[in-house]
Amino acid sequence: MTIYNFSAGPACLPHSVLTQAQQDLVHYPGAGISVMEMSHRSADFENILHDAKTRLRKLANIPDDYDIIFLQGGASLQFSMIPMNLAPKAVDIIDTGQWTSKAIKEHQKCTQVNVIASSKDKNYTYIPKLDQALTGDYLYICENNTIYGTQYHQLPHAKHLIGDLSSDILSRPLDITKYDLVFAGAQKNIGPAGLTLVILKKSLLDQIDDSQIPSVLSYKVQASNQSMFNTPPTWAIYICSLVFKWLEEEIGGLEAMERINQQKAKLLYDYLDQSTFFHNPVNPQDRSLMNIPFISPNAELDQLFIAKAKEAGLINLKGHRSVGGMRASLYNAMPIEGVQKLIELMQTFEGEHHA
Ligand SMILES: *Cc1c(COP(=O)(O)O)cnc(C)c1O
């Protein structure tokens, strides 16, 4: 039975990437040893790192005045690294749920935070409008809200914008020029857990005074050492390079990826919108293409549905504990067949349990 993994993260990876990794696991071609065993200073690994960076730069159309760095510590470490490095007097943050709440908490340890808009009043089921003037040194947003299934489809205007793109990076074309800095934990849409991607304007680096910052946490140190200040997560970087290659060669780039993602999400939203049994609570204009939460008429039926889905090979559909119900994460690597199977099961379940 084919298993379809709807987990919000760590999430599904392209089958062809895993097969390639399996083939190269013991003997990386030409090296005779595994990537996991290689010195990070070896020519083979330097090529892998270079390949990952150049592929990403091309794929996401990242101009030369932006740096790409691979870090550790998860997306969560960026909640602290950003204010530590940029040393703002104050920041504006739009509160769209748990991931921005955590960013607010960490920022508050370093600087003053203005929560400039929030969708807390409706349990984060929409993207709030900005109706106040910005006064902080930068505006911080979370582009796709993994838990609630909301996503910015138009970015707010700000002179200096910073984005958490953990759960939608590379799901559609990226206009990095709108941002000073974006970051993403790899485990949702890029690769294995343990790697964090940061893309930032090179000009920011010149403004950083890192005399009081631990070296590992300094963007300047990490960028000037090409992500190799210390041992980077070599295996994770290698898998990412395979994912970038897959996006480029098998999918055909980020525009093609976006069309596929739109197609997958539309199937599920169309079904949800005509159903009188299952329901998605998100404001239609703000719906995420990546994470789609839904509920049935009650918690017992939710639980039964999740169990039935598991039996059918559709796993990890349980919603986040803070919202309950179900959540289908349709990241890049989720094939359309997975979404079709899910909808078939929902139809059957609805037929059996509709009052
Ligand atoms: C998962 C997630 C995070 C946290 O990632 P870690 O790598 O576990 O720290 C942060 N932001 C968003 C939007 C996420 O989806």
Side-chain angles (χ1 to χ4, degrees):
M1 178 168 64
T2 310
I3 302 288
Y4 293 101
N5 178 14
F6 291 90
S7 170
C12 54
L13 283 163
H15 188 72
S16 64
V17 165
L18 293 176
T19 313
Q20 181 73 51
Q22 182 184 39
Q23 241 176 56
D24 297 351
L25 180 72
V26 180
H27 298 298
Y28 182 70
I33 58 171
S34 174
V35 173
M36 280 185 263
E37 304 172 294
M38 273 177 197
S39 162
H40 58 295
R41 308 282 174 201
S42 66
D44 278 325
F45 184 72
E46 291 211 341
N47 283 336
I48 290 171
L49 180 66
H50 178 77
D51 186 65
K53 267 192 205 173
T54 29
R55 281 189 192 280
L56 177 62
R57 201 176 273 287
K58 186 164 163 237
L59 192 63
N61 199 14
I62 299 166
D64 286 340
D65 56 336
Y66 283 77
D67 235 316
I68 297 171
I69 43 185
F70 295 111
L71 302 174
Q72 301 182 63
S76 299
L77 184 56
Q78 295 311 306
F79 304 159
S80 305
M81 268 179 81
I82 293 163
M84 279 169 91
N85 280 269
L86 305 187
K89 284 192 200 69
V91 298
D92 300 315
I93 301 185
I94 302 181
D95 172 31
T96 49
Q98 204 177 99
W99 294 120
T100 53
S101 304
K102 290 188 178 179
I104 290 167
K105 190 170 163 212
E106 298 305 317
H107 269 80
Q108 279 169 337
K109 296 175 185 174
C110 305
T111 184
Q112 189 201 316
V113 174
N114 312 315
V115 179
I116 194 121
S118 172
S119 49
K120 193 173 181 179
D121 60 339
K122 291 188 181 154
N123 198 27
Y124 300 115
T125 50
Y126 69 103
I127 298 288
K129 296 269 168 298
L130 252 191
D131 49 17
Q132 282 185 54
L134 299 172
T135 55
D137 291 350
Y138 53 82
L139 173 65
Y140 177 105
I141 62 164
C142 178
E143 215 185 75
N144 182 71
N145 296 282
T146 325
I147 296 173
Y148 315 88
T150 63
Q151 185 174 28
Y152 283 85
H153 294 295
Q154 202 175 355
L155 294 177
H157 290 289
K159 196 146 171 260
H160 300 288
L161 186 63
I162 290 187
D164 177 354
L165 271 57
S166 292
S167 51
D168 69 344
I169 192 158
L170 306 184
S171 67
R172 55 186 182 184
L174 169 64
D175 184 1
I176 192 70
T177 62
K178 294 235 161 69
Y179 283 106
D180 279 13
L181 182 154
V182 301
F183 65 94
Q187 70 273 26
K188 276 123 193 187
N189 224 1
I190 315 181
L195 179 83
T196 310
L197 176 68
V198 174
I199 309 170
L200 79 174
K201 244 187 201 151
K202 282 181 182 164
S203 59
L204 280 181
L205 295 169
D206 307 326
Q207 299 157 25
I208 296 172
D209 170 8
D210 62 2
S211 55
Q212 303 296 315
I213 302 174
S215 303
V216 175
L217 304 186
S218 160
Y219 291 137
K220 231 155 95 169
V221 169
Q222 293 286 3
S224 62
N225 286 282
Q226 282 77 47
S227 312
M228 298 249 278
F229 168 70
N230 64 332
T231 318
T234 50
W235 176 256
I237 290 173
Y238 163 65
I239 301 293
C240 290
S241 77
L242 295 181
V243 171
F244 300 153
K245 186 167 180 239
W246 170 79
L247 275 167
E248 189 184 326
E249 293 177 3
E250 285 182 56
I251 298 296
L254 297 189
E255 269 145 28
M257 191 71 255
E258 182 181 34
R259 280 195 296 277
I260 297 169
N261 285 330
Q262 278 168 342
Q263 195 188 358
K264 287 186 293 183
K266 186 176 187 308
L267 280 179
L268 186 49
Y269 283 126
D270 282 353
Y271 173 69
L272 284 165
D273 285 344
Q274 59 74 49
S275 171
T276 51
F277 184 84
F278 290 109
H279 172 70
N280 165 270
V282 176
N283 188 19
Q285 298 94 283
D286 301 324
R287 284 169 163 183
S288 167
L289 296 185
M290 296 282 99
N291 310 96
I292 305 183
F294 56 94
I295 49 168
S296 76
N298 64 57
E300 287 84 74
L301 285 171
D302 286 349
Q303 226 174 4
L304 185 63
F305 178 76
I306 292 162
K308 289 273 176 216
K310 193 173 171 193
E311 277 170 28
L314 309 174
I315 66 167
N316 291 323
L317 278 162
K318 195 172 188 307
H320 189 270
R321 57 190 182 278
S322 63
V323 294
M326 282 71 71
R327 168 177 52 177
S329 294
L330 311 184
Y331 295 123
N332 287 352
M334 173 57 66
I336 195 152
E337 294 77 32
V339 187
Q340 287 161 340
K341 281 257 153 55
L342 172 62
I343 295 169
E344 277 167 33
L345 184 84
M346 289 167 78
Q347 279 166 332
T348 310
F349 193 85
E350 178 170 355
E352 284 166 8
H353 296 277
H354 207 306

mmCIF file of all heavy atoms in Angstrom, residues 95-97 101 117-126 128:
data_model
loop_
_atom_site.group_PDB
_atom_site.id
_atom_site.type_symbol
_atom_site.label_atom_id
_atom_site.label_comp_id
_atom_site.label_asym_id
_atom_site.label_seq_id
_atom_site.Cartn_x
_atom_site.Cartn_y
_atom_site.Cartn_z
ATOM 1 N N ASP A 95 0.882 39.542 14.354
ATOM 2 C CA ASP A 95 0.635 38.306 15.086
ATOM 3 C C ASP A 95 -0.396 37.455 14.337
ATOM 4 O O ASP A 95 -1.572 37.798 14.274
ATOM 5 C CB ASP A 95 0.121 38.666 16.484
ATOM 6 C CG ASP A 95 -0.342 37.444 17.259
ATOM 7 O OD1 ASP A 95 0.219 36.352 17.036
ATOM 8 O OD2 ASP A 95 -1.261 37.588 18.089
ATOM 9 N N THR A 96 0.092 36.359 13.760
ATOM 10 C CA THR A 96 -0.820 35.474 13.012
ATOM 11 C C THR A 96 -0.808 34.065 13.592
ATOM 12 O O THR A 96 -1.117 33.100 12.889
ATOM 13 C CB THR A 96 -0.429 35.429 11.516
ATOM 14 O OG1 THR A 96 0.979 35.189 11.421
ATOM 15 C CG2 THR A 96 -0.782 36.709 10.800
ATOM 16 N N GLY A 97 -0.439 33.936 14.867
ATOM 17 C CA GLY A 97 -0.534 32.616 15.487
ATOM 18 C C GLY A 97 0.678 32.233 16.288
ATOM 19 O O GLY A 97 1.492 33.077 16.692
ATOM 20 N N SER A 101 3.828 34.352 17.731
ATOM 21 C CA SER A 101 3.829 34.569 19.189
ATOM 22 C C SER A 101 5.184 34.195 19.763
ATOM 23 O O SER A 101 5.715 34.888 20.642
ATOM 24 C CB SER A 101 2.745 33.746 19.877
ATOM 25 O OG SER A 101 1.497 34.034 19.320
ATOM 26 N N ALA A 117 -0.589 44.280 14.413
ATOM 27 C CA ALA A 117 -1.899 43.746 13.987
ATOM 28 C C ALA A 117 -1.950 42.310 14.463
ATOM 29 O O ALA A 117 -0.910 41.676 14.643
ATOM 30 C CB ALA A 117 -2.046 43.805 12.470
ATOM 31 N N SER A 118 -3.175 41.812 14.661
ATOM 32 C CA SER A 118 -3.312 40.437 15.142
ATOM 33 C C SER A 118 -4.637 39.847 14.663
ATOM 34 O O SER A 118 -5.624 40.554 14.503
ATOM 35 C CB SER A 118 -3.264 40.422 16.675
ATOM 36 O OG SER A 118 -3.569 39.126 17.147
ATOM 37 N N SER A 119 -4.645 38.537 14.466
ATOM 38 C CA SER A 119 -5.903 37.862 14.116
ATOM 39 C C SER A 119 -6.323 36.909 15.237
ATOM 40 O O SER A 119 -7.073 35.981 15.033
ATOM 41 C CB SER A 119 -5.766 37.115 12.788
ATOM 42 O OG SER A 119 -4.598 36.315 12.765
ATOM 43 N N LYS A 120 -5.811 37.202 16.418
ATOM 44 C CA LYS A 120 -6.113 36.356 17.577
ATOM 45 C C LYS A 120 -7.613 36.326 17.882
ATOM 46 O O LYS A 120 -8.138 35.317 18.362
ATOM 47 C CB LYS A 120 -5.337 36.881 18.783
ATOM 48 C CG LYS A 120 -5.320 35.916 19.937
ATOM 49 C CD LYS A 120 -4.408 36.378 21.043
ATOM 50 C CE LYS A 120 -4.420 35.330 22.173
ATOM 51 N NZ LYS A 120 -3.554 35.706 23.268
ATOM 52 N N ASP A 121 -8.297 37.457 17.618
ATOM 53 C CA ASP A 121 -9.729 37.541 17.950
ATOM 54 C C ASP A 121 -10.564 36.449 17.289
ATOM 55 O O ASP A 121 -11.620 36.083 17.783
ATOM 56 C CB ASP A 121 -10.275 38.939 17.590
ATOM 57 C CG ASP A 121 -10.124 39.264 16.102
ATOM 58 O OD1 ASP A 121 -9.267 38.634 15.426
ATOM 59 O OD2 ASP A 121 -10.846 40.138 15.596
ATOM 60 N N LYS A 122 -10.112 35.940 16.146
ATOM 61 C CA LYS A 122 -10.872 34.869 15.475
ATOM 62 C C LYS A 122 -10.018 33.611 15.350
ATOM 63 O O LYS A 122 -10.042 32.934 14.314
ATOM 64 C CB LYS A 122 -11.365 35.348 14.106
ATOM 65 C CG LYS A 122 -12.437 36.419 14.211
ATOM 66 C CD LYS A 122 -13.048 36.756 12.874
ATOM 67 C CE LYS A 122 -14.102 37.849 13.030
ATOM 68 N NZ LYS A 122 -14.249 38.610 11.777
ATOM 69 N N ASN A 123 -9.311 33.313 16.409
ATOM 70 C CA ASN A 123 -8.433 32.146 16.449
ATOM 71 C C ASN A 123 -7.547 32.023 15.197
ATOM 72 O O ASN A 123 -7.350 30.935 14.663
ATOM 73 C CB ASN A 123 -9.219 30.853 16.703
ATOM 74 C CG ASN A 123 -8.305 29.728 17.189
ATOM 75 O OD1 ASN A 123 -7.252 29.995 17.797
ATOM 76 N ND2 ASN A 123 -8.661 28.490 16.892
ATOM 77 N N TYR A 124 -7.040 33.159 14.742
ATOM 78 C CA TYR A 124 -6.030 33.198 13.672
ATOM 79 C C TYR A 124 -6.526 32.599 12.346
ATOM 80 O O TYR A 124 -5.752 31.990 11.611
ATOM 81 C CB TYR A 124 -4.744 32.488 14.126
ATOM 82 C CG TYR A 124 -4.119 33.115 15.347
ATOM 83 C CD1 TYR A 124 -4.031 32.418 16.545
ATOM 84 C CD2 TYR A 124 -3.614 34.415 15.304
ATOM 85 C CE1 TYR A 124 -3.450 32.997 17.676
ATOM 86 C CE2 TYR A 124 -3.040 34.998 16.422
ATOM 87 C CZ TYR A 124 -2.957 34.287 17.605
ATOM 88 O OH TYR A 124 -2.382 34.856 18.709
ATOM 89 N N THR A 125 -7.815 32.802 12.054
ATOM 90 C CA THR A 125 -8.360 32.230 10.821
ATOM 91 C C THR A 125 -8.291 33.207 9.645
ATOM 92 O O THR A 125 -8.902 32.976 8.604
ATOM 93 C CB THR A 125 -9.820 31.789 11.028
ATOM 94 O OG1 THR A 125 -10.515 32.887 11.629
ATOM 95 C CG2 THR A 125 -9.907 30.561 11.913
ATOM 96 N N TYR A 126 -7.591 34.300 9.822
ATOM 97 C CA TYR A 126 -7.438 35.251 8.714
ATOM 98 C C TYR A 126 -6.117 35.996 8.852
ATOM 99 O O TYR A 126 -5.469 35.932 9.899
ATOM 100 C CB TYR A 126 -8.623 36.231 8.674
ATOM 101 C CG TYR A 126 -8.673 37.210 9.832
ATOM 102 C CD1 TYR A 126 -8.278 38.541 9.660
ATOM 103 C CD2 TYR A 126 -9.097 36.819 11.103
ATOM 104 C CE1 TYR A 126 -8.315 39.443 10.725
ATOM 105 C CE2 TYR A 126 -9.137 37.709 12.156
ATOM 106 C CZ TYR A 126 -8.748 39.017 11.969
ATOM 107 O OH TYR A 126 -8.777 39.910 13.013
ATOM 108 N N PRO A 128 -4.542 39.544 9.179
ATOM 109 C CA PRO A 128 -5.048 40.880 9.508
ATOM 110 C C PRO A 128 -4.497 41.961 8.587
ATOM 111 O O PRO A 128 -3.384 41.850 8.077
ATOM 112 C CB PRO A 128 -4.578 41.089 10.947
ATOM 113 C CG PRO A 128 -3.420 40.190 11.130
ATOM 114 C CD PRO A 128 -3.590 39.030 10.191
#
